[in-house]
């Protein structure tokens, strides 16, 4: 049988970190396994997102695989927070060290996957017409892999260069002497803006919603710290798995309310976390994400830092966010985002009340005024969590499409499976805690669960597994209820799909914390895969 009609046991879509680990894990079970990857190389997110300043926002020693002690010991990170080139190098090292490349078909974009009920197999088709059949399909397509490009009127008419943060050219972009516009102030923009500002003739930032940005205090990885972690890496990982966010076990979360301490004590706690850097700021007190009054105190602390950093008071106030801190993804800065606005060649344009009206040949029009520039950078993020699957022709039983199934928002059980789509697993999907944890921890947890599930089915002579409609409905109702106990519903964010016009406003990730979620997944398996229909 030719490759274009190949039959496999398990087909993996994607060769980022999730796809690589899935290929490693499933192959070791003795199953015929193949991964299909749209890009010409491994790396996923860290292959695509190569914009200036791209960097992980979780410390390198945590944002890495734990499945191989040898890999953990031999790989040497150079910085506390790894850059995109280093993360891509790591992905390539993993692919080569574990001989995974021969199990990946590169330059192969999956466009169609239909479940054949008669054969009880998936038929998967690539954009070049090649097809495969598989008993199981693992969607390792990533939470942030479907770029969001706003439908600005006149975008195609712009005479200059248009760049998207998630589709950055592989060759270096020269900004010297260029008038540059950046649309967006999310995580990618926070990394791009201070990195390219010194190179440009002028840099104009168009901001709809100001971002909370905390420092990372990045720098070379301390050898003594690395040695201490590696002396008990297994213990370090185990402690991380007991953390609500799945990392930062060396920085215990605060146990008290921000409202029950004195103003001086509260200020000192916030300052201590600010000096540590990163997401530790949001765990200074136990109720920052659940009590609006406590949250407001943390938010005002950050606004105070902005006002002290940005010289121009008017610009500083525009950069001060008004939504609760953390209800949008907190940005972690390694370069000096706020300080970049002190540069004479950088200006900020608020488009929250007077939005961008159109792109013109020479620039863009916002608030009735035309701004001229040579290069347009769209740092406009992703159609997150569900975008990659909904852009496929993906159909389950009786021709049910994922677009119809998820018309009113994603229906998913445990973040892993959807009713009507048998033997289809989604890594780090809606309804899981992946957004709020170290994603590699979540990847390993999901793949291990899927592998155990497949082995259990085979041991019990079962052919198919799929979530029941009641289980997924109850699960997503729980996901939404948990969110109501937090500040996450207090602003429009990509967690709700609010950045994509027409996308249902449904809170997609689970905010229960990783330990509870992992136990719930384990309990379902212990109970003979409760909540699933087996055949």
């Amino acid at each position: 049988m030719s490759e274009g009609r190949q039959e496999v046991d398990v087909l993996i879509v994607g060769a980022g970190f999730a796809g690589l680990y899935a290929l490693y894990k499933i192959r070791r079970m003795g199953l015929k396994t193949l991964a299909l990857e749209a890009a010409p190389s491994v790396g996923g997110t860290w292959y695509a997102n190569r914009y200036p300043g791209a960097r992980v926002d979780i410390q390198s020693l945590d944002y890495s695989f734990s499945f191989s002690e040898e890999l953990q010991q031999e790989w040497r990170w150079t910085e506390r927070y790894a850059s995109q080139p280093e993360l891509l190098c790591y992905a390539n090292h993993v692919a080569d060290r574990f001989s995974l490349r021969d199990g990946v078909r590169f330059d192969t974009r999956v466009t169609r996957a239909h479940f054949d009920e008669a054969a009880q197999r998936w038929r998967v088709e690539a954009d070049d017409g090649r097809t495969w059949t598989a008993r199981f399909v693992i969607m390792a397509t990533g939470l942030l892999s479907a770029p969001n490009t706003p439908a600005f009127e006149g975008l195609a008419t712009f005479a200059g260069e248009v760049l998207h943060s998630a589709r950055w050219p592989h060759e270096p972009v020269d900004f010297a002497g260029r008038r540059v516009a950046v649309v967006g102030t999310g995580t990618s923009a926070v990394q791009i803006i201070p990195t390219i500002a010194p190179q440009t003739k002028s840099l104009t930032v168009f901001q709809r919603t100001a971002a909370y940005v905390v420092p990372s205090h990045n720098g070379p990885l301390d050898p003594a710290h690395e040695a201490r972690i590696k002396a008990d890496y297994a213990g370090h990982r185990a402690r991380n798995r007991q953390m609500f966010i799945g990392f930062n076990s060396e920085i215990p979360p605060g146990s008290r309310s921000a409202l029950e301490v004195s103003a001086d004590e509260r200020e000192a706690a916030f300052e201590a976390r600010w000096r540590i850097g990163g997401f530790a700021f949001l765990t200074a007190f136990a109720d920052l994400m659940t009590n609006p009054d406590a949250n407001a105190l943390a938010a005002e602390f950050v606004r105070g830092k902005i006002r002290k950093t940005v010289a121009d008071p008017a610009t500083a106030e525009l950069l001060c966010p008004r939504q609760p801190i953390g209800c949008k993804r907190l940005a972690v800065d390694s370069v000096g985002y706020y300080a970049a606005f002190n540069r004479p060649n950088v200006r900020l344009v608020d488009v929250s009340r007077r939005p961008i009206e159109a792109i013109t040949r020479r620039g863009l029009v916002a608030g009735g005024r035309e701004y001229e520039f040579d290069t347009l950078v769209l740092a406009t993020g992703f159609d997150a969590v569900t975008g990659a699957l909904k852009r496929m022709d993906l159909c389950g039983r009786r021709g049910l499409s994922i677009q119809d199934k998820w018309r009113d928002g994603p229906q998913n059980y445990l973040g892993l499976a959807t009713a009507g789509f048998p033997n289809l697993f989604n890594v780090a999907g809606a309804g899981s805690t992946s957004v709020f944890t170290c994603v590699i921890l979540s990847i390993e947890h999901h793949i291990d669960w899927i592998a155990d599930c497949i082995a259990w089915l085979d041991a019990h002579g079962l052919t198919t597994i799929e979530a029941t409609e009641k289980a997924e409905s109850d699960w997503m109702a729980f996901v939404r209820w948990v969110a109501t106990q937090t500040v996450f519903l207090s602003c429009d964010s990509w967690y709700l799909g609010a950045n994509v016009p027409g996308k249902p406003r449904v809170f997609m990730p689970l905010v229960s914390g990783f330990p509870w979620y992992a136990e719930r997944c384990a309990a379902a398996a212990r109970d003979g895969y409760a909540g699933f229909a087996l055949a």
Side-chain angles (χ1 to χ4, degrees), residues 147-226:
N148 174 46
T149 302
F152 289 127
E153 178 185 342
L155 181 59
T157 68
F158 180 58
E161 185 176 30
V162 179
L163 303 168
H164 193 291
S165 55
R167 295 194 183 100
W168 206 265
H170 287 212
E171 61 279 1
V173 177
D174 185 5
F175 291 103
R178 308 287 289 176
R179 299 171 302 167
V180 180
V182 175
V183 175
T185 50
T187 301
S188 298
V190 164
Q191 295 180 330
I192 292 170
I193 288 163
T195 303
I196 70 171
Q199 308 169 35
T200 66
K201 179 180 180 181
S202 66
L203 177 60
T204 306
V205 178
F206 293 88
Q207 171 187 276
R208 184 172 61 181
T209 305
Y212 288 99
V213 183
V214 296
S216 69
H217 303 301
N218 188 37
L221 188 60
D222 176 23
H225 173 69
E226 179 184 21

Side-chain angles (χ1 to χ4, degrees), residues 376-415:
L376 172 61
V377 176
L378 298 175
T380 48
F382 300 88
D383 182 354
V385 183
T386 59
L389 296 191
K390 290 187 73 174
R391 294 182 186 191
M392 290 183 193
D393 176 9
L394 176 59
C395 290
R397 293 192 189 277
R398 297 176 292 280
L400 175 65
S401 72
I402 199 68
Q403 291 80 10
D404 286 338
K405 174 72 179 183
W406 287 356
R407 186 177 303 279
D408 298 320
Q411 291 295 304
N412 218 349
Y413 178 45
L414 301 177

Side-chain angles (χ1 to χ4, degrees), residues 305-338:
K305 291 291 188 181
I306 297 169
R307 294 177 183 121
K308 289 178 181 178
T309 303
V310 180
D312 176 56
T315 301
E317 288 308 308
L318 285 177
L319 288 167
C320 284
R322 300 302 168 185
Q323 71 274 11
I325 186 170
C327 69
K328 286 175 174 280
R329 178 81 172 186
L330 191 66
V332 179
D333 170 37
S334 292
V335 183
Y337 173 71
Y338 292 124

Side-chain angles (χ1 to χ4, degrees), residues 80-81 211-218 251 266-285 288 297-310 319 321 325 330-333 336-339:
R80 289 181 67 200
Y81 293 84
Y212 288 99
V213 183
V214 296
S216 69
H217 303 301
N218 188 37
I251 311 168
R266 187 168 53 242
E267 185 79 5
F270 284 146
E271 185 64 36
R273 293 303 175 106
W274 189 266
R275 290 176 180 173
I276 291 171
F279 292 112
F281 183 79
L282 290 180
T283 60
F285 293 96
L288 295 186
L297 296 169
E300 186 56 31
F301 177 88
V302 177
R303 287 192 285 267
K305 291 291 188 181
I306 297 169
R307 294 177 183 121
K308 289 178 181 178
T309 303
V310 180
L319 288 167
I325 186 170
L330 191 66
V332 179
D333 170 37
Y337 173 71
Y338 292 124

Side-chain angles (χ1 to χ4, degrees), residues 442-507:
S442 292
I443 284 169
E444 290 186 319
H445 169 251
H446 277 186
I447 297 301
D448 289 345
W449 190 96
I450 292 166
D452 289 345
C453 176
I454 293 173
W456 186 88
L457 292 171
D458 287 346
H460 289 77
L462 296 166
T463 304
T464 62
I465 183 170
E466 64 184 287
T468 66
E469 290 186 353
K470 184 180 188 311
E472 69 177 8
S473 177
D474 290 349
W475 185 257
M476 295 311 292
F478 174 70
V479 170
R480 290 188 286 273
W481 176 82
V482 175
T484 67
Q485 310 304 302
T486 72
V487 301
F488 283 106
L489 301 183
S490 302
C491 65
D492 289 337
S493 69
W494 60 257
Y495 303 145
L496 282 157
N499 61 318
V500 179
K503 189 169 182 175
R505 300 291 183 91
V506 174
F507 194 78

Side-chain angles (χ1 to χ4, degrees), residues 227-249:
R228 182 166 52 80
I229 295 296
K230 289 189 173 184
D232 182 27
Y233 225 143
H236 177 76
R237 301 289 194 183
R239 290 185 289 275
N240 276 349
R241 287 192 289 272
Q242 294 307 309
M243 297 289 289
F244 190 91
I245 54 177
F247 62 98
N248 269 5
S249 59

